[in-house]
Amino acid sequence: KGAFTSQQLVSAYLERINQLNPQINAITILNPQAMAIAKALDEEYKKTKVLRPLHGIPIIVKDNINTKGLATTAGALALKDFVPTEDAFIIDKLVKAGAIIIAKSNMAEWAFTPWHSFSSTHGATLNPYNPEYVPAGSSGGTGASVASNFATIGLGTDTGNSIRGPSSHCSLVGFRTTLGLISRADIVPLNFRNDVVGPMCRSVEDATRVLEIMVGYDPNDPITKHSEGKTPKNYTQFLQKNGLKGARIGVLRELCENVPAASGLVGNTSMADPEVKALFEKAISDLKAMGAVIIDPLTVPDFSNRRKDLVCFDFRGDLEAYLAKYVKNDTIKTLEDIIRIGSKSKSAEARVKALLTVRNPNCLDVYTAPRRIAFRKAIEDKMDELKLDAIIYPTWNNKPANINTYNEELKRVEYYGDNSQVIAPHTGQPAFTVPMGFTTGNLPAGLQFLSRMYAEPTLIKLAYSYEQGTKHRVPPILKK
Protein backbone atom coordinates (compact mmCIF):
# COMPACT_ATOMS: atom_id res chain seq x y z
CA LYS A 1 0.00 0.00 0.00
CA GLY A 2 3.03 2.27 0.19
CA ALA A 3 2.57 3.00 3.90
CA PHE A 4 6.11 1.92 4.81
CA THR A 5 9.45 1.38 3.19
CA SER A 6 11.29 -1.80 4.10
CA GLN A 7 13.86 0.32 5.95
CA GLN A 8 11.13 1.84 8.14
CA LEU A 9 9.71 -1.62 8.81
CA VAL A 10 13.07 -3.15 9.74
CA SER A 11 13.95 -0.16 11.90
CA ALA A 12 10.65 -0.40 13.80
CA TYR A 13 11.13 -4.12 14.44
CA LEU A 14 14.74 -3.66 15.58
CA GLU A 15 13.65 -0.96 18.01
CA ARG A 16 10.89 -3.20 19.34
CA ILE A 17 13.30 -6.13 19.79
CA ASN A 18 15.77 -3.95 21.68
CA GLN A 19 13.03 -2.61 23.95
CA LEU A 20 11.06 -5.78 24.64
CA ASN A 21 13.20 -8.87 24.04
CA PRO A 22 14.87 -8.61 27.49
CA GLN A 23 11.46 -9.45 29.00
CA ILE A 24 11.11 -12.79 27.21
CA ASN A 25 14.60 -13.70 25.91
CA ALA A 26 13.45 -14.95 22.50
CA ILE A 27 16.18 -13.58 20.19
CA THR A 28 19.70 -15.03 19.91
CA ILE A 29 21.31 -12.73 17.34
CA LEU A 30 20.34 -9.72 15.22
CA ASN A 31 21.36 -9.54 11.57
CA PRO A 32 23.78 -6.59 11.28
CA GLN A 33 23.06 -6.46 7.53
CA ALA A 34 19.26 -6.19 7.87
CA MET A 35 19.07 -2.43 7.28
CA ALA A 36 21.46 -2.56 4.32
CA ILE A 37 19.41 -5.33 2.73
CA ALA A 38 16.22 -3.33 3.32
CA LYS A 39 17.78 -0.27 1.68
CA ALA A 40 18.79 -2.32 -1.38
CA LEU A 41 15.28 -3.76 -1.69
CA ASP A 42 13.72 -0.29 -1.37
CA GLU A 43 16.00 1.01 -4.13
CA GLU A 44 15.19 -1.99 -6.30
CA TYR A 45 11.47 -1.30 -5.97
CA LYS A 46 11.95 2.39 -6.80
CA LYS A 47 13.64 1.41 -10.05
CA THR A 48 11.48 -1.52 -11.10
CA LYS A 49 8.10 -0.80 -9.48
CA VAL A 50 7.90 -4.58 -9.08
CA LEU A 51 7.53 -6.24 -5.69
CA ARG A 52 8.92 -9.68 -5.01
CA PRO A 53 6.46 -12.00 -3.16
CA LEU A 54 7.94 -11.14 0.28
CA HIS A 55 9.65 -7.90 -0.71
CA GLY A 56 11.34 -6.30 2.30
CA ILE A 57 9.46 -8.41 4.84
CA PRO A 58 11.43 -9.23 8.04
CA ILE A 59 11.54 -12.86 9.12
CA ILE A 60 12.81 -14.54 12.31
CA VAL A 61 14.54 -17.89 11.82
CA LYS A 62 14.97 -20.66 14.39
CA ASP A 63 18.57 -21.16 15.51
CA ASN A 64 18.92 -24.62 13.94
CA ILE A 65 18.44 -23.46 10.32
CA ASN A 66 21.60 -22.56 8.37
CA THR A 67 21.86 -18.82 7.68
CA LYS A 68 24.84 -17.39 5.84
CA GLY A 69 26.97 -15.19 8.10
CA LEU A 70 24.76 -15.70 11.17
CA ALA A 71 25.55 -18.16 13.97
CA THR A 72 23.53 -21.38 13.85
CA THR A 73 23.95 -23.07 17.23
CA ALA A 74 20.90 -25.29 17.85
CA GLY A 75 21.23 -23.89 21.37
CA ALA A 76 24.35 -25.99 22.06
CA LEU A 77 27.81 -24.98 23.30
CA ALA A 78 29.41 -27.23 20.69
CA LEU A 79 28.01 -25.02 17.90
CA LYS A 80 28.17 -21.63 19.63
CA ASP A 81 30.82 -20.38 17.17
CA PHE A 82 29.49 -22.09 14.03
CA VAL A 83 28.64 -19.62 11.26
CA PRO A 84 27.39 -21.22 8.01
CA THR A 85 28.89 -20.05 4.74
CA GLU A 86 25.67 -20.65 2.81
CA ASP A 87 21.94 -20.30 3.43
CA ALA A 88 19.76 -23.37 3.78
CA PHE A 89 17.79 -24.25 0.62
CA ILE A 90 14.56 -22.82 2.04
CA ILE A 91 16.28 -19.68 3.37
CA ASP A 92 17.72 -19.07 -0.10
CA LYS A 93 14.22 -19.34 -1.55
CA LEU A 94 12.79 -16.91 1.00
CA VAL A 95 15.64 -14.41 0.53
CA LYS A 96 15.21 -14.53 -3.25
CA ALA A 97 11.51 -13.83 -2.65
CA GLY A 98 12.54 -10.65 -0.82
CA ALA A 99 12.40 -11.71 2.84
CA ILE A 100 14.98 -10.21 5.20
CA ILE A 101 16.37 -12.32 8.03
CA ILE A 102 16.19 -9.81 10.86
CA ALA A 103 17.17 -12.19 13.67
CA LYS A 104 17.61 -15.78 14.83
CA SER A 105 15.49 -17.18 17.67
CA ASN A 106 16.18 -19.24 20.77
CA MET A 107 15.17 -22.89 21.02
CA ALA A 108 15.32 -25.98 23.17
CA GLU A 109 18.87 -27.30 22.97
CA TRP A 110 19.28 -29.68 19.99
CA ALA A 111 15.45 -29.37 19.66
CA PHE A 112 15.23 -32.17 22.23
CA THR A 113 11.97 -31.16 23.90
CA PRO A 114 8.59 -29.72 22.91
CA TRP A 115 7.93 -28.63 26.49
CA HIS A 116 10.14 -25.59 26.96
CA SER A 117 12.83 -23.58 25.15
CA PHE A 118 16.03 -23.58 27.22
CA SER A 119 19.42 -23.50 25.51
CA SER A 120 23.00 -23.52 26.77
CA THR A 121 23.74 -20.56 24.53
CA HIS A 122 20.90 -18.25 25.59
CA GLY A 123 18.96 -19.68 28.54
CA ALA A 124 15.18 -19.86 28.85
CA THR A 125 12.59 -18.13 26.67
CA LEU A 126 9.42 -17.00 28.46
CA ASN A 127 5.84 -16.84 27.20
CA PRO A 128 4.97 -13.24 26.20
CA TYR A 129 1.35 -13.73 27.25
CA ASN A 130 2.44 -14.61 30.78
CA PRO A 131 6.18 -14.78 31.53
CA GLU A 132 5.58 -17.14 34.44
CA TYR A 133 4.82 -19.84 31.86
CA VAL A 134 6.68 -21.64 29.07
CA PRO A 135 6.19 -20.88 25.36
CA ALA A 136 6.60 -24.63 24.70
CA GLY A 137 9.47 -25.92 22.56
CA SER A 138 11.53 -26.51 20.73
CA SER A 139 10.65 -23.50 18.51
CA GLY A 140 9.65 -21.43 21.53
CA GLY A 141 11.91 -18.55 20.57
CA THR A 142 10.20 -18.17 17.20
CA GLY A 143 6.79 -18.51 18.83
CA ALA A 144 7.48 -15.92 21.52
CA SER A 145 9.14 -13.45 19.15
CA VAL A 146 6.51 -13.58 16.40
CA ALA A 147 3.75 -13.34 19.00
CA SER A 148 5.54 -10.27 20.40
CA ASN A 149 5.69 -8.71 16.90
CA PHE A 150 9.48 -8.76 16.58
CA ALA A 151 9.08 -9.58 12.86
CA THR A 152 6.29 -10.11 10.36
CA ILE A 153 6.81 -13.86 9.97
CA GLY A 154 8.79 -16.71 11.55
CA LEU A 155 10.20 -20.16 10.86
CA GLY A 156 10.26 -23.17 13.17
CA THR A 157 10.97 -26.87 12.92
CA ASP A 158 8.70 -29.68 14.07
CA THR A 159 9.92 -33.20 14.82
CA GLY A 160 7.09 -34.11 17.18
CA ASN A 161 5.22 -30.93 18.10
CA SER A 162 7.79 -28.16 17.90
CA ILE A 163 5.98 -25.81 15.50
CA ARG A 164 2.47 -26.54 16.67
CA GLY A 165 3.16 -26.52 20.42
CA PRO A 166 4.76 -23.05 20.57
CA SER A 167 2.19 -21.72 18.09
CA SER A 168 -0.60 -22.98 20.36
CA HIS A 169 1.06 -21.61 23.52
CA CYS A 170 1.73 -18.24 21.84
CA SER A 171 -1.60 -17.75 20.01
CA LEU A 172 -0.11 -18.21 16.55
CA VAL A 173 -0.84 -20.11 13.36
CA GLY A 174 1.62 -22.97 12.85
CA PHE A 175 1.89 -25.21 9.79
CA ARG A 176 3.37 -28.69 10.04
CA THR A 177 3.22 -29.58 6.36
CA THR A 178 3.26 -32.94 4.61
CA LEU A 179 6.62 -34.65 5.08
CA GLY A 180 8.15 -34.22 1.63
CA LEU A 181 6.59 -30.88 0.71
CA ILE A 182 9.45 -28.67 2.00
CA SER A 183 13.19 -29.33 2.09
CA ARG A 184 14.89 -30.02 5.43
CA ALA A 185 18.40 -29.83 3.98
CA ASP A 186 20.94 -27.62 5.78
CA ILE A 187 19.13 -27.80 9.11
CA VAL A 188 20.58 -29.24 12.33
CA PRO A 189 18.67 -32.55 12.52
CA LEU A 190 16.90 -34.15 15.46
CA ASN A 191 15.27 -37.10 13.70
CA PHE A 192 15.42 -36.83 9.94
CA ARG A 193 12.56 -39.35 9.58
CA ASN A 194 10.21 -36.85 11.27
CA ASP A 195 11.77 -33.39 10.91
CA VAL A 196 9.70 -30.72 9.14
CA VAL A 197 10.30 -26.97 8.76
CA GLY A 198 7.41 -24.55 8.45
CA PRO A 199 5.92 -21.11 9.08
CA MET A 200 4.84 -19.72 12.45
CA CYS A 201 2.83 -16.55 11.91
CA ARG A 202 0.15 -14.30 13.35
CA SER A 203 -2.32 -15.15 10.58
CA VAL A 204 -3.19 -17.98 8.22
CA GLU A 205 -2.65 -15.62 5.27
CA ASP A 206 0.92 -14.82 6.35
CA ALA A 207 1.71 -18.50 6.92
CA THR A 208 0.27 -19.38 3.51
CA ARG A 209 2.40 -16.76 1.76
CA VAL A 210 5.53 -18.18 3.42
CA LEU A 211 4.51 -21.77 2.61
CA GLU A 212 4.01 -20.85 -1.05
CA ILE A 213 7.65 -19.79 -1.36
CA MET A 214 9.14 -22.74 0.52
CA VAL A 215 7.60 -25.72 -1.28
CA GLY A 216 9.46 -27.62 -3.96
CA TYR A 217 11.93 -30.33 -4.85
CA ASP A 218 15.44 -30.15 -3.43
CA PRO A 219 17.93 -32.80 -4.63
CA ASN A 220 19.71 -32.50 -1.27
CA ASP A 221 16.55 -33.74 0.46
CA PRO A 222 15.40 -36.69 -1.69
CA ILE A 223 12.10 -37.09 0.19
CA THR A 224 10.91 -33.88 -1.54
CA LYS A 225 10.78 -35.88 -4.79
CA HIS A 226 7.40 -37.15 -3.53
CA SER A 227 5.98 -33.62 -3.75
CA GLU A 228 6.46 -33.26 -7.51
CA GLY A 229 3.15 -32.67 -9.23
CA LYS A 230 1.39 -32.12 -5.90
CA THR A 231 2.14 -28.44 -5.26
CA PRO A 232 -0.15 -25.78 -6.73
CA LYS A 233 1.74 -22.63 -7.71
CA ASN A 234 -0.80 -20.47 -5.94
CA TYR A 235 -1.73 -21.47 -2.38
CA THR A 236 -3.31 -18.11 -1.56
CA GLN A 237 -6.29 -18.99 -3.76
CA PHE A 238 -7.43 -21.24 -0.91
CA LEU A 239 -7.79 -18.35 1.57
CA GLN A 240 -11.59 -18.55 1.47
CA LYS A 241 -13.70 -17.03 4.24
CA ASN A 242 -16.54 -19.47 3.57
CA GLY A 243 -14.16 -22.44 3.41
CA LEU A 244 -15.99 -24.27 6.19
CA LYS A 245 -19.33 -24.26 4.43
CA GLY A 246 -20.20 -27.89 3.73
CA ALA A 247 -16.84 -29.16 5.01
CA ARG A 248 -16.99 -32.51 6.78
CA ILE A 249 -14.85 -32.62 9.93
CA GLY A 250 -14.29 -35.53 12.31
CA VAL A 251 -13.66 -35.07 16.05
CA LEU A 252 -10.95 -37.44 17.24
CA ARG A 253 -11.99 -37.79 20.88
CA GLU A 254 -9.07 -40.11 21.59
CA LEU A 255 -6.85 -37.03 21.43
CA CYS A 256 -9.24 -34.84 23.42
CA GLU A 257 -9.69 -36.74 26.63
CA ASN A 258 -7.12 -38.99 28.35
CA VAL A 259 -3.93 -39.16 26.34
CA PRO A 260 -1.15 -41.53 27.48
CA ALA A 261 1.70 -39.45 28.83
CA ALA A 262 4.92 -39.22 26.86
CA SER A 263 8.06 -40.92 28.12
CA GLY A 264 9.53 -39.23 31.18
CA LEU A 265 6.34 -37.55 32.32
CA VAL A 266 4.83 -37.91 35.76
CA GLY A 267 1.65 -39.98 35.79
CA ASN A 268 0.20 -42.50 33.35
CA THR A 269 -2.32 -40.36 31.54
CA SER A 270 -2.74 -36.75 30.61
CA MET A 271 -6.17 -35.54 31.60
CA ALA A 272 -7.57 -32.77 29.43
CA ASP A 273 -7.65 -29.44 31.22
CA PRO A 274 -11.32 -28.42 31.74
CA GLU A 275 -10.75 -24.93 30.36
CA VAL A 276 -9.00 -26.20 27.23
CA LYS A 277 -11.75 -28.77 26.82
CA ALA A 278 -14.38 -26.01 27.08
CA LEU A 279 -12.59 -23.99 24.39
CA PHE A 280 -12.51 -27.06 22.16
CA GLU A 281 -16.25 -27.67 22.59
CA LYS A 282 -16.86 -24.00 21.74
CA ALA A 283 -14.68 -24.44 18.65
CA ILE A 284 -16.85 -27.36 17.53
CA SER A 285 -19.95 -25.18 17.95
CA ASP A 286 -18.30 -22.38 15.98
CA LEU A 287 -17.36 -24.75 13.17
CA LYS A 288 -20.97 -25.90 12.96
CA ALA A 289 -22.18 -22.30 12.93
CA MET A 290 -19.85 -21.57 10.03
CA GLY A 291 -21.38 -24.38 7.98
CA ALA A 292 -19.23 -27.41 8.76
CA VAL A 293 -20.73 -30.87 9.15
CA ILE A 294 -19.29 -32.39 12.34
CA ILE A 295 -18.84 -36.15 12.75
CA ASP A 296 -18.43 -36.74 16.48
CA PRO A 297 -16.90 -38.98 17.61
CA LEU A 298 -14.61 -40.18 14.87
CA THR A 299 -13.24 -43.66 15.56
CA VAL A 300 -10.16 -44.93 13.74
CA PRO A 301 -9.98 -48.76 13.83
CA ASP A 302 -7.39 -50.09 16.30
CA PHE A 303 -6.10 -46.54 16.86
CA SER A 304 -4.50 -47.22 20.26
CA ASN A 305 -2.40 -50.10 18.89
CA ARG A 306 -1.54 -48.55 15.53
CA ARG A 307 -0.02 -45.49 17.21
CA LYS A 308 2.53 -47.61 19.11
CA ASP A 309 6.12 -48.52 18.16
CA LEU A 310 6.49 -45.93 15.41
CA VAL A 311 9.64 -44.16 16.59
CA CYS A 312 12.92 -44.93 14.87
CA PHE A 313 15.77 -42.66 15.91
CA ASP A 314 19.34 -42.16 14.72
CA PHE A 315 20.37 -38.86 16.29
CA ARG A 316 24.05 -39.82 16.26
CA GLY A 317 24.04 -40.67 12.56
CA ASP A 318 21.97 -37.65 11.56
CA LEU A 319 23.96 -35.15 13.63
CA GLU A 320 27.39 -36.50 12.74
CA ALA A 321 26.49 -36.28 9.04
CA TYR A 322 25.51 -32.62 9.58
CA LEU A 323 28.75 -31.88 11.46
CA ALA A 324 30.84 -33.46 8.70
CA LYS A 325 29.06 -31.59 5.89
CA TYR A 326 28.71 -28.13 7.41
CA VAL A 327 30.74 -27.58 10.58
CA LYS A 328 33.91 -29.24 9.26
CA ASN A 329 35.76 -28.93 12.56
CA ASP A 330 38.14 -31.71 13.58
CA THR A 331 37.34 -31.16 17.26
CA ILE A 332 33.55 -31.37 16.73
CA LYS A 333 32.90 -34.48 14.67
CA THR A 334 31.17 -36.98 16.97
CA LEU A 335 28.60 -37.29 19.71
CA GLU A 336 31.51 -37.94 22.06
CA ASP A 337 32.83 -34.46 21.15
CA ILE A 338 29.44 -32.96 22.00
CA ILE A 339 29.57 -34.64 25.43
CA ARG A 340 33.15 -33.50 26.00
CA ILE A 341 32.30 -29.87 25.24
CA GLY A 342 29.38 -30.09 27.65
CA SER A 343 26.08 -28.32 28.23
CA LYS A 344 24.46 -25.93 30.70
CA SER A 345 21.34 -28.10 30.52
CA LYS A 346 21.49 -31.26 32.59
CA SER A 347 18.48 -32.65 30.75
CA ALA A 348 20.05 -32.06 27.31
CA GLU A 349 23.34 -33.51 28.53
CA ALA A 350 21.57 -36.60 29.87
CA ARG A 351 19.70 -36.99 26.58
CA VAL A 352 22.89 -36.86 24.50
CA LYS A 353 24.52 -39.46 26.74
CA ALA A 354 21.44 -41.68 26.51
CA LEU A 355 21.61 -41.50 22.70
CA LEU A 356 25.32 -42.31 22.60
CA THR A 357 24.74 -46.01 21.99
CA VAL A 358 21.49 -45.68 20.04
CA ARG A 359 22.13 -46.38 16.36
CA ASN A 360 19.38 -47.10 13.85
CA PRO A 361 20.97 -46.38 10.48
CA ASN A 362 18.26 -48.35 8.68
CA CYS A 363 15.30 -46.27 9.92
CA LEU A 364 12.60 -46.02 7.27
CA ASP A 365 10.64 -42.88 6.42
CA VAL A 366 6.89 -42.31 6.24
CA TYR A 367 6.77 -43.54 2.64
CA THR A 368 8.50 -46.87 3.31
CA ALA A 369 8.00 -47.87 6.98
CA PRO A 370 5.22 -50.53 7.06
CA ARG A 371 3.77 -49.53 10.45
CA ARG A 372 3.70 -45.86 9.53
CA ILE A 373 2.03 -46.59 6.21
CA ALA A 374 -0.55 -48.81 7.94
CA PHE A 375 -1.32 -46.13 10.54
CA ARG A 376 -1.75 -43.47 7.86
CA LYS A 377 -3.88 -45.78 5.73
CA ALA A 378 -6.20 -46.55 8.64
CA ILE A 379 -6.74 -42.82 9.20
CA GLU A 380 -7.14 -41.88 5.55
CA ASP A 381 -9.38 -44.89 4.82
CA LYS A 382 -11.72 -43.80 7.62
CA MET A 383 -11.64 -40.24 6.27
CA ASP A 384 -12.52 -41.56 2.81
CA GLU A 385 -15.32 -43.73 4.19
CA LEU A 386 -16.89 -40.76 6.00
CA LYS A 387 -15.95 -38.28 3.23
CA LEU A 388 -14.06 -36.14 5.74
CA ASP A 389 -12.03 -33.09 4.79
CA ALA A 390 -10.14 -33.00 8.08
CA ILE A 391 -9.85 -34.27 11.64
CA ILE A 392 -9.70 -31.94 14.67
CA TYR A 393 -8.42 -32.11 18.25
CA PRO A 394 -6.82 -29.65 20.68
CA THR A 395 -3.23 -28.86 19.73
CA TRP A 396 -2.24 -29.21 23.39
CA ASN A 397 -4.99 -30.36 25.73
CA ASN A 398 -3.48 -28.71 28.81
CA LYS A 399 -2.47 -25.14 29.59
CA PRO A 400 1.16 -24.06 29.21
CA ALA A 401 3.27 -25.27 32.13
CA ASN A 402 4.69 -22.91 34.74
CA ILE A 403 8.26 -21.87 33.89
CA ASN A 404 9.41 -23.34 37.22
CA THR A 405 8.20 -26.77 36.11
CA TYR A 406 11.41 -27.01 34.12
CA ASN A 407 13.75 -28.74 36.58
CA GLU A 408 17.40 -29.28 35.73
CA GLU A 409 17.75 -31.93 38.41
CA LEU A 410 15.25 -34.08 36.47
CA LYS A 411 13.47 -34.93 39.69
CA ARG A 412 10.08 -33.50 38.84
CA VAL A 413 8.88 -32.91 35.31
CA GLU A 414 5.21 -32.28 34.69
CA TYR A 415 4.30 -31.36 31.14
CA TYR A 416 0.89 -32.70 30.25
CA GLY A 417 -1.31 -32.59 27.19
CA ASP A 418 1.34 -32.91 24.48
CA ASN A 419 -0.98 -34.81 22.15
CA SER A 420 0.24 -33.48 18.79
CA GLN A 421 3.01 -36.09 18.65
CA VAL A 422 0.61 -38.98 18.14
CA ILE A 423 -0.27 -38.80 14.42
CA ALA A 424 1.40 -36.26 12.13
CA PRO A 425 5.07 -36.88 12.90
CA HIS A 426 4.73 -40.60 12.26
CA THR A 427 2.29 -40.67 9.34
CA GLY A 428 3.72 -37.68 7.49
CA GLN A 429 0.29 -36.02 7.26
CA PRO A 430 -0.06 -32.24 7.45
CA ALA A 431 -1.45 -30.67 10.64
CA PHE A 432 -2.13 -26.96 11.16
CA THR A 433 -2.84 -25.20 14.45
CA VAL A 434 -4.92 -22.01 14.77
CA PRO A 435 -5.66 -19.91 17.90
CA MET A 436 -8.66 -21.28 19.79
CA GLY A 437 -8.88 -18.74 22.62
CA PHE A 438 -7.45 -18.18 26.08
CA THR A 439 -7.65 -19.86 29.47
CA THR A 440 -7.19 -18.35 32.94
CA GLY A 441 -3.90 -16.49 33.27
CA ASN A 442 -4.10 -15.16 29.70
CA LEU A 443 -2.76 -18.48 28.44
CA PRO A 444 -3.47 -19.32 24.77
CA ALA A 445 -4.76 -22.61 23.36
CA GLY A 446 -4.87 -23.95 19.80
CA LEU A 447 -7.18 -25.97 17.57
CA GLN A 448 -5.51 -28.49 15.28
CA PHE A 449 -6.71 -29.53 11.81
CA LEU A 450 -5.17 -32.70 10.29
CA SER A 451 -5.77 -34.01 6.79
CA ARG A 452 -4.48 -36.31 4.04
CA MET A 453 -1.00 -36.20 2.55
CA TYR A 454 -0.54 -33.06 0.43
CA ALA A 455 -3.95 -31.68 1.46
CA GLU A 456 -2.49 -28.28 2.41
CA PRO A 457 -5.05 -26.49 0.18
CA THR A 458 -7.88 -28.06 2.19
CA LEU A 459 -6.26 -27.19 5.52
CA ILE A 460 -5.60 -23.60 4.44
CA LYS A 461 -9.25 -23.23 3.47
CA LEU A 462 -10.55 -24.64 6.77
CA ALA A 463 -8.02 -22.91 9.02
CA TYR A 464 -8.54 -19.53 7.34
CA SER A 465 -12.31 -19.79 7.54
CA TYR A 466 -12.17 -20.70 11.24
CA GLU A 467 -9.66 -17.93 11.97
CA GLN A 468 -11.70 -15.28 10.15
CA GLY A 469 -14.93 -16.45 11.77
CA THR A 470 -13.58 -16.35 15.34
CA LYS A 471 -10.62 -13.92 15.38
CA HIS A 472 -9.33 -15.33 18.68
CA ARG A 473 -5.84 -13.92 18.46
CA VAL A 474 -5.02 -10.79 20.45
CA PRO A 475 -1.44 -9.56 20.92
CA PRO A 476 0.33 -9.96 24.26
CA ILE A 477 0.76 -6.88 26.44
CA LEU A 478 4.46 -6.13 26.86
CA LYS A 479 5.41 -2.96 28.72
CA LYS A 480 8.03 -0.76 27.11
Side-chain angles (χ1 to χ4, degrees):
K1 293 178 181 177
F4 295 94
T5 64
S6 181
Q7 292 170 83
Q8 289 172 325
L9 197 58
V10 170
S11 177
Y13 279 129
L14 288 173
E15 182 181 351
R16 187 168 173 85
I17 290 169
N18 287 326
Q19 286 181 338
L20 300 178
N21 184 61
Q23 296 180 37
I24 58 171
N25 192 39
I27 300 297
T28 62
I29 188 171
L30 295 173
N31 184 358
Q33 299 301 316
M35 283 299 295
I37 297 167
K39 183 180 179 183
L41 285 165
D42 284 339
E43 289 174 352
E44 176 189 312
Y45 178 55
K46 269 186 188 176
K47 290 177 184 174
T48 65
K49 299 300 178 187
V50 175
L51 285 173
R52 305 188 202 186
L54 298 175
H55 200 106
I57 298 298
I59 182 170
I60 285 172
V61 177
K62 187 177 179 180
D63 196 20
N64 60 347
I65 303 171
N66 283 8
T67 44
K68 183 179 180 180
L70 292 174
T72 299
T73 75
L77 295 179
L79 296 183
K80 68 181 178 64
D81 298 319
F82 171 54
V83 179
T85 56
E86 299 294 336
D87 283 329
F89 178 82
I90 54 160
I91 296 298
D92 183 61
K93 293 189 79 162
L94 290 165
V95 168
K96 285 175 178 173
I100 301 171
I101 301 166
I102 192 171
K104 301 289 287 284
S105 57
N106 196 31
M107 59 181 284
E109 190 162 333
W110 298 118
F112 274 157
T113 176
W115 303 325
H116 54 75
S117 291
F118 178 92
S119 69
S120 285
T121 51
H122 289 87
T125 296
L126 311 180
N127 192 315
Y129 285 92
N130 189 330
E132 293 183 10
Y133 292 82
V134 298
S138 61
S139 311
T142 301
S145 57
V146 175
S148 301
N149 199 17
F150 291 169
T152 311
I153 51 183
L155 282 189
T157 61
D158 189 312
T159 305
N161 187 16
S162 290
I163 285 173
R164 293 161 295 156
S167 295
S168 173
H169 279 19
C170 295
S171 197
L172 296 178
V173 172
F175 285 7
R176 181 188 167 97
T177 54
T178 302
L179 192 52
L181 188 71
I182 295 172
S183 170
R184 294 91 38 82
D186 324 306
I187 297 172
V188 182
L190 173 56
N191 182 357
F192 211 54
R193 269 60 50 191
N194 285 13
D195 293 345
V196 164
V197 59
M200 300 170 66
C201 300
R202 290 186 294 276
S203 72
V204 175
E205 181 176 354
D206 286 353
T208 301
R209 291 183 182 279
V210 177
L211 166 71
E212 196 168 81
I213 301 302
M214 294 168 69
V215 301
Y217 172 62
D218 175 10
N220 289 318
D221 185 4
I223 205 169
T224 56
K225 186 78 174 170
H226 292 279
S227 72
E228 291 189 319
K230 299 169 186 170
T231 57
K233 287 184 179 178
N234 175 6
Y235 280 89
T236 55
Q237 65 181 300
F238 303 108
L239 295 166
Q240 300 170 11
K241 284 190 177 181
N242 65 348
L244 282 163
K245 194 170 183 181
R248 293 176 60 82
I249 298 173
V251 180
L252 191 58
R253 290 286 172 186
E254 286 177 85
L255 293 184
C256 305
E257 307 293 342
N258 304 339
V259 181
S263 175
L265 298 187
V266 176
N268 295 319
T269 58
S270 174
M271 301 293 288
D273 181 271
E275 289 188 65
V276 175
K277 190 175 178 181
L279 289 177
F280 182 64
E281 298 303 330
K282 177 66 168 62
I284 293 172
S285 297
D286 289 339
L287 292 167
K288 287 180 182 175
M290 287 181 266
V293 177
I294 302 296
I295 289 79
D296 185 9
L298 166 69
T299 304
V300 177
D302 203 23
F303 183 81
S304 60
N305 286 320
R306 290 185 186 279
R307 58 169 288 189
K308 295 176 183 175
D309 304 320
L310 298 170
V311 177
C312 191
F313 217 74
D314 188 20
F315 179 68
R316 176 194 274 272
D318 291 346
L319 182 62
E320 290 180 357
Y322 176 89
L323 295 174
K325 184 173 183 179
Y326 301 104
V327 180
K328 300 176 183 176
N329 184 326
D330 286 342
T331 64
I332 311 171
K333 296 171 71 175
T334 67
L335 217 51
E336 285 84 356
D337 291 330
I338 303 298
I339 293 169
R340 172 180 51 77
I341 293 165
S343 171
K344 293 180 183 178
S345 167
K346 290 183 180 178
S347 59
E349 190 172 50
R351 184 81 179 272
V352 171
K353 288 178 179 177
L355 292 168
L356 199 57
T357 57
V358 177
R359 284 305 313 271
N360 293 298
N362 298 317
C363 284
L364 299 175
D365 62 35
V366 299
Y367 296 93
T368 53
R371 283 192 63 81
R372 292 181 180 222
I373 293 169
F375 189 29
R376 179 171 67 244
K377 187 174 187 302
I379 293 167
E380 294 191 346
D381 282 354
K382 178 55 72 169
M383 291 181 70
D384 291 345
E385 176 191 327
L386 298 173
K387 296 182 172 59
L388 297 182
D389 295 288
I391 294 169
I392 57 167
Y393 44 92
T395 306
W396 200 297
N397 70 16
N398 276 54
K399 299 175 188 176
N402 190 283
I403 195 73
N404 294 322
T405 299
Y406 174 66
N407 188 310
E408 273 297 346
E409 298 301 324
L410 305 178
K411 292 175 182 174
R412 186 169 179 269
V413 183
E414 295 176 352
Y415 292 89
Y416 292 117
D418 177 13
N419 53 327
S420 289
Q421 303 211 42
V422 177
I423 301 176
H426 307 299
T427 64
Q429 291 168 265
F432 293 2
T433 183
V434 185
M436 186 170 69
F438 292 82
T439 61
T440 303
N442 197 34
L443 297 171
L447 174 66
Q448 190 155 173
F449 293 84
L450 177 136
S451 195
R452 299 170 180 81
M453 299 287 275
Y454 298 99
E456 278 76 12
T458 298
L459 290 181
I460 289 167
K461 197 158 47 171
L462 302 180
Y464 182 72
S465 183
Y466 174 75
E467 172 200 58
Q468 294 300 303
T470 57
K471 295 191 183 293
H472 283 303
R473 185 184 186 274
V474 293
I477 298 172
L478 293 169
K479 295 177 183 177
K480 293 186 178 181

